[in-house]
Every structure is written in C-alpha cells, then in structure tokens.
Amino acid sequence: MNGFMVQRGGMLCSIQDAGRKRLNDIGLSQSGAMDERSFGYANLLVGNAFNTPTIEIALGGASFIALGAMCIAICGADMSPLCNGKPLALWTTHQLQKDDILSFGYASQGQFAYLAIAGGFQTPFTYGSFSTSIKEGLG
C-alpha cells in the first residue's frame, strides 16, 4: 500500500490539485493549490501528470508515517523536511521505505509546500477536482 498515516496534522494539510474551474455560478470556490508552480514541479519530479493530487502543507508542523515504499518529491516553502531525523532536500526526489517518518518544521521561507508521491493519492473526485475545499466541505 502506498500512502501515509498522519502522525501530526500541522497547521493545515489538505489534498489539492489545480482546482475546480468555472463553478462559481453554482456557489463553489475554485480551491486548488495556492502555489501552482511548486505543486506542478512536485508532480513532474515523481513522473505524475500535472493535475495529480498532492498534499498541500500550510506553514508546517506536520509529520507522516510511510505505509509502503514510495518515491516522493517536496517542493515549495522551506519547512526543513526530515526523514527519520535526517534532512531532505527540496525540489528533488527521495525514496521512502515502509515505516519511515517524514516530518516538517515550520516555514522559514514561503507558506505552502507540496508533497507528491509517484502515482498520486487516491481521493474522491468531486465537481471536477480532487481538491479539498473546507468552505464547501469537499474533499
């Protein structure tokens, strides 16, 4: 099984893609990644299509336990990511093994980081998007 168990949710983590487009007329906000460039690069680095869902980490403080071996990329804000206590570089790929602990400090530069895994996250597709919208209770 690929994915993560949330150990600590941090300030705010959510699943995001490029968002819902042209649905304001029915009262839905666009949602989607706050930093589309970092979101896109994270997916590119792990070989995903542009609109593959990622975890958007706002401000930091999150930690996750890997449920299996996987390839990841972290792009965006510098939250001093660690794998089992060892620093991970941003804007590159890393291999995680089952039970590895991926943790994030708090943002020293920027506000949003994106955690992508090869193959993406399996989440509900609602109104044309995988994105979480807290306001509308979607995702």
Side-chain angles (χ1 to χ4, degrees), residues 12-71:
L12 177 64
C13 292
S14 61
I15 297 290
Q16 297 296 339
D17 63 9
R20 293 175 183 84
K21 310 291 187 207
R22 298 177 291 280
L23 293 174
N24 292 3
D25 59 332
I26 63 168
L28 294 178
S29 62
Q30 180 172 326
S31 304
M34 293 296 290
D35 177 354
E36 200 169 89
R37 178 179 167 266
S38 296
F39 158 79
Y41 270 101
N43 273 320
L44 178 70
L45 285 168
V46 296
N48 292 340
F50 171 77
N51 203 34
T52 303
T54 65
I55 296 177
E56 179 180 77
I57 303 163
L59 302 176
S63 65
F64 307 92
I65 300 171
L67 298 177
M70 67 188 83
C71 178

Side-chain angles (χ1 to χ4, degrees), residues 41-129:
Y41 270 101
N43 273 320
L44 178 70
L45 285 168
V46 296
N48 292 340
F50 171 77
N51 203 34
T52 303
T54 65
I55 296 177
E56 179 180 77
I57 303 163
L59 302 176
S63 65
F64 307 92
I65 300 171
L67 298 177
M70 67 188 83
C71 178
I72 68 162
I74 303 164
C75 295
D78 185 356
M79 297 179 185
S80 302
L82 304 172
C83 180
N84 300 325
K86 296 180 182 165
L88 291 180
L90 299 173
W91 305 93
T92 189
T93 59
H94 302 280
Q95 294 296 319
L96 297 186
Q97 302 304 314
K98 185 179 187 316
D99 297 325
D100 280 350
I101 298 174
L102 180 62
S103 59
F104 294 83
Y106 292 94
S108 61
Q109 185 176 46
Q111 294 179 355
F112 300 96
Y114 296 86
L115 170 58
I117 64 171
F121 294 96
Q122 191 173 16
T123 61
F125 189 72
T126 309
Y127 291 104
S129 175

